[in-house]
């Protein structure tokens, strides 16, 4: 693990001290904001879009090219998994700031292999239905933390589709399946209340099942509907039309999936902490390459930050893209927000620094994310003097002065960035494992210290703007 720390006195990031990189594992002193910000940055590709497009490219009728895909732990795991079952994935020459474009050539899928899901929900929920199309056994496992994440709907749905699955009955990783080279498909019902990824994983592959797929969600509320919409939109671009005759029911007809040339949008959820920094420190942060139309839930950050007191501006730059600029005064308003999805850790960090109460609802399923995010956020903020209460389906945050201390990341990239955000305003926050940001944004520290805070020379400047 690479750890970044200052060569000078801790908690004094404003002097002449140089940013040095060393390899000694240790906590990362989150820098205080040096004053109002004036930052402009571009971000690497979306995890959710990259991993959907990788899957669709692997089961398409012809080759695909992914432009500006995300290169991070979660996408590397997806690439390795698809290669393990036979897909050819090559890096194309080029000089992208955030890593190579990818050429994906589908091949006959073969089992006889094992897949490491790491802690990636998209790998553990999207890959098993793909592997079921392969000939031969495929074993799935992941990090110790991944063995706690809900997997029952994936396991049960594969069985209902006629796939032979071997598991220990806990509805968790590890398990293995025995592909026969085809999947019968047809009509099934699942309880997807623990994760929208159960639905997305099946919809992505449904057109490849002999009878297609009719999927009915039977449980309580369905979380992260935006992510299901994203799945349907990525399928539509490849010629697969998913019908939804009633809420919670989706029909995927059997048929072809086209190869495609796809430009991946920047990750708007990962933009959250950077844009939120303007609210904490004051000043402005601009994220370039922001798509005018998108299915990413991260786009909601623009409205959320406006509701929390920011001035948000979108300047079109052409080609359906623009610059999103968030300007803050340093004052933050509390909000009531339902279904914050993967944005919840960022919003909670901001709420802890706000002037009034924040109530987050509709996020009970965050207990099954990289860690139990409701427990982790309340434990960490309360440990540094804050006031967060867990409710049945969310959090209530009351602003309270906080003090420095060790901030635990729980192997969760969004817990680590939440610590960095609080550290902008609270002196002495030490994030125990900032390296966990590599799950979806390996350049987090460079972008945070460089373009955002102006504390170091950025080594990533894709648009030559900095
Ligand atoms: O499909 C996806 O790309 C995702 C769906 C969501 O999962 P849940 O529905 O489990 O929250 C989201 O939180 C995750 O970060 C990415
Ligand atoms: C929940 C998340 O990840 P995953 O794709 O592993 O579910 C997340 O990125 O916030």
């Amino acid at each position: 693990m690479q750890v970044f720390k200052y060569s000078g006195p801790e908690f004094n990031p404003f002097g002449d001290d140089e940013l040095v990189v060393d390899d000694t594992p240790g906590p990362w002193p989150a820098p205080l904001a040096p004053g109002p910000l004036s930052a402009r940055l571009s971000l690497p590709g979306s995890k959710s879009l990259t991993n959907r497009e990788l899957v669709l490219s692997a089961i398409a009728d012809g080759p695909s090219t992914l432009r500006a895909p995300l290169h991070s732990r979660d996408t590397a795991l997806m690439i390795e998994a698809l290669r393990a079952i036979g897909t050819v994935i090559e890096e194309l020459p080029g000089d992208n700031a955030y890593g190579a474009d990818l050429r994906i050539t589908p091949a006959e899928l073969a089992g006889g292999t094992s897949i490491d899901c790491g802690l990636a929900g998209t790998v553990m929920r999207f890959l098993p239905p793909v592997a079921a199309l392969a000939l031969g056994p495929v074993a799935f496992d992941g990090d110790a933390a991944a063995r706690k994440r809900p997997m029952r709907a994936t396991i049960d749905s594969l069985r209902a589709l006629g796939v032979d699955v071997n598991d220990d009955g806990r509805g968790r990783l590890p398990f293995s399946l025995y592909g026969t080279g085809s999947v019968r498909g047809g009509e099934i019902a699942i309880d997807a209340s623990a994760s929208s990824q159960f639905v997305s994983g099946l919809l992505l592959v449904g057109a490849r099942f002999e009878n297609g797929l009719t999927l009915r969600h039977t449980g309580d509320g369905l979380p992260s509907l935006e992510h299901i919409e994203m799945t349907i939109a990525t399928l539509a671009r490849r010629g697969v039309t998913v019908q939804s005759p009633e809420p919670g029911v989706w029909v995927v007809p059997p048929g072809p999936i086209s190869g495609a040339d796809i430009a991946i949008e920047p990750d708007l959820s990962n933009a959250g902490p950077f844009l939120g920094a303007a609210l904490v420190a004051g000043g402005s942060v601009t994220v370039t390459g922001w798509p005018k139309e998108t299915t990413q839930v991260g786009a909601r950050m623009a409205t959320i930050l406006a509701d929390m007191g920011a001035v948000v501006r979108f300047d079109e730059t052409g080609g359906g893209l623009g610059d999103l600029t968030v300007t803050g005064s340093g004052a933050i308003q509390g909000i009531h927000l339902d279904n914050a999805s993967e944005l919840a850790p960022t919003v909670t960090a901001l709420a802890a620094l706000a002037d009034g109460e924040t109530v987050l609802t509709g996020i009970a399923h965050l207990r099954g994310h990289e860690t139990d995010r409701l427990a982790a956020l309340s434990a960490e903020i309360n440990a540094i003097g804050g006031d967060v209460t867990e409710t049945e389906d969310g959090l209530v945050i009351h602003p309270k002065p906080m003090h420095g201390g060790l901030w635990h990341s729980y192997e969760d990239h969004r817990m680590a960035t939440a610590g960095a955000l609080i550290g902008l305003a609270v002196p002495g926050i030490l994030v125990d494992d900032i390296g966990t940001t590599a799950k979806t944004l390996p350049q987090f520290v460079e972008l945070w210290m460089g373009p955002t805070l102006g504390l170091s020379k950025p080594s990533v400047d894709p648009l030559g703007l900095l």
Side-chain angles (χ1 to χ4, degrees), residues 47-48 74 119-125 149 195 197 341-343 345 368-370 373 412-414 439-440:
K47 163 200 79 175
S48 291
D74 277 14
L119 190 47
T122 49
V123 180
M124 66 184 84
R125 277 77 175 251
R149 298 191 72 175
S195 172
Q197 292 171 342
S341 187
E342 65 188 12
L343 309 177
H369 276 183
E370 282 81 337
R373 283 182 171 160
D412 182 353
H413 53 148
R414 299 198 203 278
K439 185 175 191 286
T440 58

Side-chain angles (χ1 to χ4, degrees), residues 138-158:
V138 181
F140 288 88
D141 203 352
D143 295 356
R147 288 183 169 200
K148 296 183 188 156
R149 298 191 72 175
M151 289 299 297
R152 179 161 315 283
T154 297
I155 294 167
D156 289 353
S157 61
L158 288 172

Side-chain angles (χ1 to χ4, degrees), residues 14-26:
F14 318 132
D16 296 330
D17 308 321
E18 244 181 279
L19 176 72
V20 296
V21 176
D22 84 16
D23 288 325
T24 324

Side-chain angles (χ1 to χ4, degrees), residues 245-298:
E246 56 183 285
V249 179
W250 302 269
V251 181
V252 191
I257 299 174
S258 353
D261 191 323
I262 306 270
I264 302 290
E265 298 169 4
D267 195 305
L268 306 186
S269 294
N270 277 340
F274 294 91
L275 296 171
L279 221 65
V280 177
S284 295
V285 173
T286 298
V287 172
T288 62
W290 192 278
K292 198 175 161 195
E293 306 283 341
T294 180
T295 51
Q296 288 191 65
V297 66

